[in-house]
Amino acid sequence: MSQDDKAAALPLAGLKVVEFTHMVMGPTVGMVLGDLGADVVKVEPIGGDNTRRLLGSGAGYFPMYGRNKRSLSVDLKSPEGKQIALDLIDRADVLIENFRPGAMEALGFGEKALKARNPGLVYCSAKGFLSGPYEHRAALDEVAQMMGGLAYMTGPPGRPLRAGASVIDVIGGLFGVIGVLAALIQRGTLGRGQTVKSALFENCVFLVGQHMAQYVVTGTAARPMPVRISAWAIYDQFQTKDEQTVFAGVVTDGQWVGFCKAFGLDDFAADETLARNNGRVQARDRIIPRVQDLFRTFTKAELLARLEEIGLPFAPINRPEDLFDDAHLAASGGLLDLHLPDDQRLIRLPALPVEIDGHRPVLQYDLAKPGQHTGQVLAELGYDPSRIADLLSRGLVVQAEG
């Protein structure tokens, strides 16, 4: 099957999406829809989305969440630029935005105005908070993690710590996609689009729901993860002979039997008080030091090989940069080849983590320069070459060389 055939076979092929976004959450919605085959047009200001120019931890935002989109660079504050955007929206199935509350309305692109023009439009807003007392507050991933209990659960007691990736932004984007797909399915029966809203705070609260439930069930508040009482006796990081760290878990009674047999722990295997999970949890203080001493007799490579052989959950402690050389990702299509827009350096970044009929979603559009597809998009809207040339000459749109 050719690349074009694979793209045409993707589940969202033919779906038209207009994206007004920056940073992470909104772009994640567009990236996932684009990876699944939708035609996503990212509307950028003259000069491009400021996310492209972030430094430090923000330097990876655009490369990671900017693929499989076409770029239209337009002056939305001009009447002509606004009309271009409206022409694009009139033909769209989905609009995505994640700007501060009121920003889209100020531009004339609020949901009520646009749905009056295009009743079938699914309008997706990615915000800090859903409807309620907080809905007009500004929010960031870190704000949500602090408010939503995740930072408390991640760090040691008294030291709340945000997770080591933009997990709330990304998951907020995924919930936005879920809402968009549900609204598209229901559009067939309602005969109209709907407004979908996804938010940082509420999706963070959803993630800590298991800890809220734990409090209800046990009457005891969940402790931060570094000092939690584990549900399993062995579910820890261990040091190896070559001073490396390996995570290993034994989470079923059957795994316990196999673990004891593989590592010669005959006394543990014969101890009836350890035959069931809860008994082992109560004996953690006896089990863990013994296992740690045992694992210190193996090198990291030896221990990983032994754990894989007996089928236990295990993991080396990788850094993000280690994953470029991961054998599984390399063999399974888990990394996509992309090129940075400015200097065309080849980079490899994670693909969408799903398979559909045995295939990973393909790269349809590489990372675009600001306005790289402006002429193409305008031509598809019916703008003739002289009109496009006039808009370009007046600086109301920008066409970057591809």
Side-chain angles (χ1 to χ4, degrees), residues 2 6 48 56 66-67 86 101 116 139 229 264 294 296 313 334 341:
S2 70
K6 287 181 180 179
R67 67 172 180 251
L86 291 173
I229 298 175
L294 172 66
R296 281 189 184 278

Side-chain angles (χ1 to χ4, degrees), residues 114-337:
L114 296 186
K115 289 167 78 172
R117 299 175 59 98
N118 180 357
L121 184 69
V122 173
Y123 193 104
C124 177
S125 290
K127 300 297 186 185
F129 303 90
L130 295 181
S131 302
Y134 303 159
E135 65 182 301
H136 296 296
R137 290 187 188 179
L140 299 168
D141 190 296
E142 197 146 342
V143 169
Q145 291 196 36
M146 297 294 171
M147 286 185 69
L150 184 60
Y152 171 83
M153 290 302 303
T154 302
R159 292 172 54 196
L161 183 68
R162 68 156 287 165
S166 300
V167 291
I168 303 304
D169 271 320
V170 174
I171 293 172
L174 296 180
F175 279 123
V177 171
I178 292 169
V180 164
L181 297 180
L184 288 170
I185 291 171
Q186 199 169 28
R187 186 172 66 171
T189 55
L190 293 178
R192 60 176 176 82
Q194 297 181 79
T195 298
V196 171
K197 194 171 178 182
S198 173
L200 296 172
F201 176 61
E202 282 82 359
N203 92 66
C204 187
V205 173
F206 186 85
L207 290 185
V208 301
Q210 67 192 75
H211 303 306
M212 297 166 69
Q214 177 184 340
Y215 177 73
V216 174
V217 171
T218 67
T220 302
R223 302 181 70 191
M225 294 298 276
V227 294
R228 73 194 184 281
I229 298 175
S230 177
W232 302 284
I234 300 176
Y235 199 77
D236 297 87
Q237 298 174 30
F238 299 93
Q239 299 302 304
T240 61
K241 182 166 64 175
D242 49 352
E243 298 184 351
Q244 299 296 307
T245 304
V246 171
F247 170 85
V250 178
V251 299
T252 70
D253 295 339
Q255 287 181 0
W256 173 252
V257 172
F259 171 74
C260 290
K261 181 178 179 181
F263 286 99
L265 297 170
D266 298 337
D267 56 328
F268 278 177
D271 189 337
E272 288 296 323
T273 67
L274 304 180
R276 298 289 179 265
N277 181 71
N278 288 351
R280 294 192 296 275
V281 171
Q282 293 173 346
R284 243 180 82 84
D285 290 345
R286 176 160 62 100
I287 294 172
I288 291 299
R290 175 85 173 275
V291 174
Q292 179 61 87
D293 289 344
L294 172 66
F295 282 2
R296 281 189 184 278
T297 66
F298 295 87
T299 65
K300 174 184 173 181
E302 292 168 343
L303 181 58
L304 292 177
R306 179 71 66 88
L307 293 171
E308 182 163 23
E309 181 182 346
I310 61 178
L312 289 183
F314 71 92
I317 310 302
N318 285 330
R319 301 166 298 178
E321 58 268 29
D322 296 331
L323 301 176
F324 291 118
D325 300 316
D326 185 88
H328 177 81
L329 293 175
S332 64
L335 297 174
L336 294 176
D337 289 338

Side-chain angles (χ1 to χ4, degrees), residues 39-119:
D39 176 17
V40 181
V41 175
K42 180 177 175 67
V43 179
E44 302 192 61
I46 303 299
D49 177 1
N50 285 331
T51 306
R52 296 172 177 271
R53 294 179 283 278
L54 292 176
L55 302 176
S57 61
Y61 291 174
F62 181 80
M64 181 61 210
Y65 307 110
R67 67 172 180 251
N68 280 336
K69 303 173 186 180
R70 296 191 289 167
S71 173
L72 167 69
S73 187
V74 58
D75 178 5
L76 291 177
K77 295 181 180 178
S78 68
E80 295 90 342
K82 179 178 178 180
Q83 187 58 53
I84 290 169
L86 291 173
D87 290 342
L88 188 62
I89 293 164
D90 286 346
R91 302 183 182 202
D93 298 291
V94 179
L95 180 145
I96 310 162
E97 67 88 15
N98 74 323
F99 288 96
R100 69 184 185 279
M104 291 292 283
E105 285 77 7
L107 287 169
F109 303 136
E111 60 181 286
K112 291 182 180 178
L114 296 186
K115 289 167 78 172
R117 299 175 59 98
N118 180 357

